[in-house]
Amino acid sequence: MSSGSGCQPQALTKPALGEKEAAELVDRVFGLKVSWIGPLPSYDDQNFHVRVSRDRGTAGGADEYVLKITNSEDSREPDLIEAQTRAMMFLNAEGFPSATPRLTKDGTIMSLESASGCGNKKYMVRLLTYLPGTPVAKIATNAQIFYEVGKLAASLDKALSEKFHHPSAKSLHRGQFIWNLANVPLLDQYIYALGQNKYRDVVEQVIEQFKGKVIPKLSSFRACINHGDLNDHNILVDSSSASSQHPQYRVSGILDFSDMSYGCYVFEVAIVIMYMMIESPDPLGVGGHVLAGFESILPLTAEERAALFLLVSGRFAQSLVLAAHTALLYPENQEYLMVTARMGWKHLMKMFEVGQEAVERRWFETARAYVTPA
């Protein structure tokens, strides 16, 4: 869900290619004939699900890809897009279910292209393997999948931080990147998008408490590379059991690395908790299962645990404020932009109504039960 690499989400940078033009792009850049193409939802990039003929000129079979056309603002930073793509390739080689790029006709992993009808803007284009599975947002979630996603988040960040050494990784130091959890205070400049209401009051409380209680502690949190957007639409699962009443899920795909940046391990678990809350009928109960999965790989320190409530609240604030802001820029994309907001406001208000102490007690008791079951 990135919105440019700086602190200012950019206006009118989202590509707007038609299906015919996108199909021609696949042919021209990758040398593949499109047999079918359809749009995929996106925040400020443009994505298409593409099927192509396996052999040029033959009718048999098809391969599936995602054509990813990066917004014109982020396309100005090829090192950053290369870092994201190389990280996906690295993770795939390490056994994670991440996409890999199809090389262009010139043998490169991406290409900067102009699009007719889009002025002088240029967009970075990649063709990524299509991953099978169902988004977490479309299944009946349970404790097992929350645990698995928490475990995945820790494993992924740990692998990136300890083994990913590509030269492009230095571009992941994105100091003012608005979606990095360290930058919750930057929301002050976008909060106008909420208007004047009780929701704005809660967000202002989150920002002020974040400034006072989290920012001074940042240096004590362990640093790492964050995926940064392991939300309910970016994690694909499939069922590994025959039981329809009690399905066991495994993660089959990890999508959208455009919010990658250097951050902290505790940021990732907070982000996952927040997005998994959206998909649960018992949102305040989610955190303990995610935390247990995460800590099965990487136990949090006392300082990191103490910040968890405000970090989860901070991610709610980021998602809700920036969705409202971006919906003003792209009213035609409002339905997708506000998908988290439908339940997000309700959950954030509930967290503050119940209070930090009670919410944390429930999270930590649930997580402890995984280690010392009754």
Side-chain angles (χ1 to χ4, degrees):
M1 285 191 169
S2 65
S3 299
S5 61
C7 65
Q8 174 68 39
Q10 298 293 324
L12 305 176
T13 66
K14 182 171 180 173
L17 278 70
E19 291 180 8
K20 181 182 178 183
E21 190 176 9
E24 291 170 351
L25 194 64
V26 172
D27 187 11
R28 176 163 53 84
V29 177
F30 300 95
L32 297 171
K33 288 292 185 186
V34 172
S35 59
W36 177 89
I37 188 168
L40 292 169
S42 61
Y43 198 81
D44 56 6
D45 299 329
Q46 190 176 21
N47 301 324
F48 290 94
H49 182 187
V50 177
R51 294 195 187 104
V52 301
S53 302
R54 289 192 183 203
D55 297 304
R56 205 165 179 150
T58 66
D63 286 326
E64 294 186 85
Y65 295 96
V66 172
L67 175 65
K68 192 166 187 68
I69 308 166
T70 301
N71 68 82
S72 61
E73 193 63 28
D74 285 353
S75 292
R76 296 177 185 177
E77 300 193 60
D79 285 352
L80 181 61
I81 298 174
E82 176 160 9
Q84 296 162 4
T85 312
R86 295 290 179 185
M88 293 159 63
M89 296 164 70
F90 160 79
L91 289 168
N92 183 272
E94 289 286 312
F96 291 86
S98 56
T100 54
R102 166 89 183 207
L103 298 183
T104 68
K105 288 194 291 187
D106 296 331
T108 58
I109 61 174
M110 58 190 184
S111 180
L112 190 63
E113 299 291 327
S114 298
S116 61
C118 298
N120 295 319
K121 291 190 173 71
K122 290 182 178 291
Y123 303 104
M124 198 64 80
V125 174
R126 289 170 291 168
L127 196 62
L128 305 174
T129 50
Y130 183 84
L131 298 174
T134 304
V136 170
K138 294 185 183 291
I139 67 169
T141 54
N142 56 33
Q144 183 255 338
I145 191 59
F146 297 144
Y147 181 92
E148 291 300 325
V149 173
K151 186 176 179 179
L152 167 78
S155 302
L156 188 150
D157 282 15
K158 193 169 187 285
L160 286 173
S161 302
E162 294 178 356
K163 299 181 185 178
F164 180 59
H165 303 301
H166 193 272
S168 62
K170 62 182 182 295
S171 66
L172 298 174
H173 289 284
R174 306 166 74 178
Q176 297 293 292
F177 181 49
I178 192 65
W179 286 102
N180 189 299
L181 254 180
N183 291 328
V184 165
L186 296 179
L187 293 176
D188 279 335
Q189 59 196 303
Y190 308 113
I191 204 167
Y192 73 90
L194 300 180
Q196 296 290 341
N197 53 46
K198 62 181 180 180
Y199 296 142
R200 177 170 176 159
D201 292 342
V202 170
V203 168
E204 287 175 339
Q205 283 184 57
V206 171
I207 295 171
E208 289 311 304
Q209 289 188 38
F210 202 96
K211 290 176 183 176
K213 297 179 181 179
V214 177
I215 297 300
K217 298 284 188 181
L218 286 179
S219 61
S220 70
F221 301 159
R222 289 165 298 168
C224 71
I225 297 174
N226 289 142
H227 174 283
D229 197 16
L230 290 173
N231 68 49
D232 43 320
H233 293 269
N234 285 342
I235 300 172
L236 305 178
V237 296
D238 61 24
S239 177
S240 58
S241 74
S243 169
S244 58
Q245 287 187 320
H246 303 287
Q248 293 286 304
Y249 291 104
R250 67 176 188 87
V251 175
S252 61
I254 308 163
L255 307 179
D256 196 353
F257 285 73
S258 59
D259 283 3
M260 280 181 68
S261 66
Y262 275 95
C264 303
Y265 284 113
V266 69
F267 290 0
E268 199 78 271
V269 68
I271 289 167
V272 172
I273 288 172
M274 177 256 157
Y275 285 118
M276 293 304 106
M277 285 175 67
I278 297 295
E279 297 304 331
S280 174
D282 178 25
L284 296 185
V286 165
H289 302 294
V290 173
L291 181 60
F294 194 93
E295 291 196 314
S296 72
I297 302 296
L298 199 87
L300 296 185
T301 66
E303 292 89 347
E304 290 164 344
R305 275 189 160 217
L308 202 50
F309 178 89
L310 282 175
L311 287 168
V312 173
S313 303
R315 185 55 166 204
F316 268 118
Q318 285 179 319
S319 181
L320 295 165
V321 171
L322 294 174
H325 170 80
T326 311
L328 296 178
L329 303 179
Y330 304 114
E332 75 284 357
N333 203 25
Q334 185 165 352
E335 182 177 352
Y336 175 74
L337 291 168
M338 302 305 285
V339 66
T340 299
R342 292 187 190 120
M343 297 301 293
W345 284 118
K346 179 181 175 183
H347 296 343
L348 178 60
M349 301 296 278
K350 186 69 174 178
M351 283 179 69
F352 269 72
E353 177 189 323
V354 173
Q356 179 170 350
E357 184 179 346
V359 172
E360 286 183 339
R361 186 187 312 118
R362 187 170 179 193
W363 288 349
F364 299 157
E365 286 177 354
T366 299
R368 188 161 53 247
Y370 277 83
V371 182
T372 54

